[in-house]
């Protein structure tokens, strides 16, 4: 008889990840809910024989998680896979932005990625500002800036994207390209993303596009990145300039 596969889930590390990591709802409801609340998770990796104890508060790993990330030099853009080995013991495997497993040359200190000559390279070089409006919520359709055409993580063959909020929860949305507008757009999922995140008209999201041009891209909310801050400054500068122009007229 074939041995059942050990349940697992993966998490992309987004800005602020050291403060805690959220367990996906589906995984939590199937494998964690009902477990002893005060029982810590035990995380282990191939970096060393050490076991890290991490406290779970609801669906979030909190106390002890930061120490684990620092010991493994985890960074924004890395992806970690949690494999449940039973009794709240998880084997954690980190992958770098190139999708290659991170090899640790010395526990807690140095890491390097495996040979990535044949691996896809992720792009993190494009951020854009999205505003929640009555129109895009009603139509369930939000257009990306025309400049997104230059982003290597996106292409016209993409049929869907993942919208990821600050907690790491994701929503699947349809992705398409409008020939008439010359721009990419998100639909059939944008409205749900806004509703589930309790958005109101006028709310702003800064998305960082993560992908390799062939796999499903991630659009990650990233308010803490320097580039995102600059986008917000430019956005409000344009608003102020428009108001000033209107006042003069």
């Amino acid at each position: 008889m074939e041995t059942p596969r050990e349940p697992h889930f993966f998490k992309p590390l987004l800005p602020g990840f050291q403060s805690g990591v959220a367990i996906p709802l589906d995984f939590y409801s199937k494998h964690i809910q009902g477990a002893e609340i005060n029982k810590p998770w035990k995380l282990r990796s191939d970096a060393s024989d050490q076991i890290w104890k991490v406290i779970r508060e609801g669906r979030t790993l909190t106390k002890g998680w930061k120490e684990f990330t620092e010991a493994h030099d985890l960074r924004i853009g890395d992806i970690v896979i949690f494999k449940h080995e039973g009794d709240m013991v998880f084997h954690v495997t980190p992958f770098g932005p190139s999708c290659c497993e991170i090899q640790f040359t010395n526990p807690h200190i140095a890491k390097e990625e495996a040979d990535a000559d044949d691996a896809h390279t992720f792009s993190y070089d494009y951020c854009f500002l999205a505003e929640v409006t009555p129109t895009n919520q009603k139509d369930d359709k939000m257009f990306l800036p025309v400049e997104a055409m230059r982003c290597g993580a996106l292409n016209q063959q993409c049929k869907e994207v993942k919208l990821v909020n600050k907690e790491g929860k994701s929503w699947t949305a349809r992705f398409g390209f409008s020939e008439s507008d010359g721009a990419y757009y998100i639909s059939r999922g944008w409205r749900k993303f806004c509703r589930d995140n309790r958005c109101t008209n006028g709310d702003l999201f800064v998305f960082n596009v993560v992908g390799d041009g062939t796999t499903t891209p991630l659009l990650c909310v990233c308010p803490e990145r320097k580039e995102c801050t600059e986008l917000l400054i430019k956005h409000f500068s344009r608003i102020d300039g428009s108001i000033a122009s209107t006042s003069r007229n």
Side-chain angles (χ1 to χ4, degrees):
M1 181 180 296
E2 184 179 356
T3 302
R5 186 176 60 178
E6 295 166 313
H8 61 279
F9 67 92
F10 78 93
K11 295 292 295 186
L13 300 185
L14 307 177
F17 72 88
Q18 285 192 327
S19 62
V21 62
I23 305 163
L25 180 59
D26 188 59
F27 185 92
Y28 177 82
S29 60
K30 289 182 179 178
H31 305 289
I32 306 301
Q33 195 168 24
E36 186 178 343
I37 297 177
N38 296 325
K39 189 171 186 176
W41 282 28
K42 296 179 181 179
L43 306 184
R44 69 180 192 85
S45 72
D46 292 334
S48 73
D49 294 329
Q50 181 175 345
I51 300 294
W52 284 264
K53 292 185 178 181
V54 180
I55 300 300
R56 173 177 65 84
E57 298 181 32
R59 285 199 301 116
T60 304
L61 298 181
T62 55
K63 186 177 180 181
W65 168 247
K66 181 178 181 181
E67 288 72 18
F68 180 86
T69 65
E70 290 176 343
H72 292 78
D73 192 22
L74 297 181
R75 305 173 188 179
I76 294 173
D78 288 343
I79 298 171
V80 290
I81 296 178
F82 294 78
K83 184 170 64 176
H84 190 197
E85 298 180 325
D87 198 29
M88 295 300 105
V89 176
F90 288 79
H91 183 276
V92 182
T93 305
F95 289 76
S98 67
C99 291
C100 290
E101 182 178 345
I102 294 171
Q103 305 297 314
F104 292 88
T105 58
N106 193 297
H108 318 307
I109 300 176
K111 71 176 184 178
E112 60 182 15
E113 290 184 38
D115 186 2
D117 290 343
D118 297 323
H120 296 296
T121 301
F122 276 99
S123 167
Y124 291 84
D125 60 356
Y126 182 68
C127 289
F128 71 93
L129 186 70
E131 182 175 1
V132 180
T133 69
T135 299
N136 64 35
Q137 287 205 81
K138 178 178 178 294
D139 297 341
D140 196 11
K141 190 173 188 178
M142 194 277 294
F143 280 91
L144 277 63
V146 175
E147 292 80 7
M149 286 291 295
R150 298 196 294 267
C151 177
L154 305 173
N155 64 69
Q156 295 182 32
Q157 282 67 52
C158 291
K159 300 303 180 184
E160 67 177 25
V161 295
K162 296 285 187 180
L163 306 175
V164 186
N165 68 6
K166 292 183 292 182
E167 288 72 39
K169 184 178 179 181
S170 66
W171 288 257
T172 300
R174 181 183 174 187
F175 190 68
F177 180 77
S178 171
E179 295 287 352
S180 59
D181 295 287
Y184 292 120
Y185 63 85
I186 301 167
S187 63
R188 297 183 186 177
W190 169 250
R191 182 164 53 206
K192 180 171 175 53
F193 173 83
C194 293
R195 183 175 64 246
D196 290 352
N197 285 277
R198 300 180 180 179
C199 302
T200 57
N201 294 326
D203 284 351
L204 299 171
F205 285 104
V206 183
F207 287 104
N208 184 38
V209 182
V210 181
D212 61 4
T214 60
T215 56
T216 301
L218 305 178
L219 273 56
C220 304
V221 176
C222 57
E224 298 178 24
R225 288 177 60 95
K226 178 176 179 290
E227 300 94 318
C228 299
T229 301
E230 292 174 351
L231 276 178
L232 287 170
I233 292 173
K234 290 178 181 178
H235 174 77
F236 288 113
S237 294
R238 287 197 297 270
I239 292 177
D240 293 341
S242 176
I243 294 174
S245 176
T246 303
S247 299
R248 287 195 295 271
N249 293 333

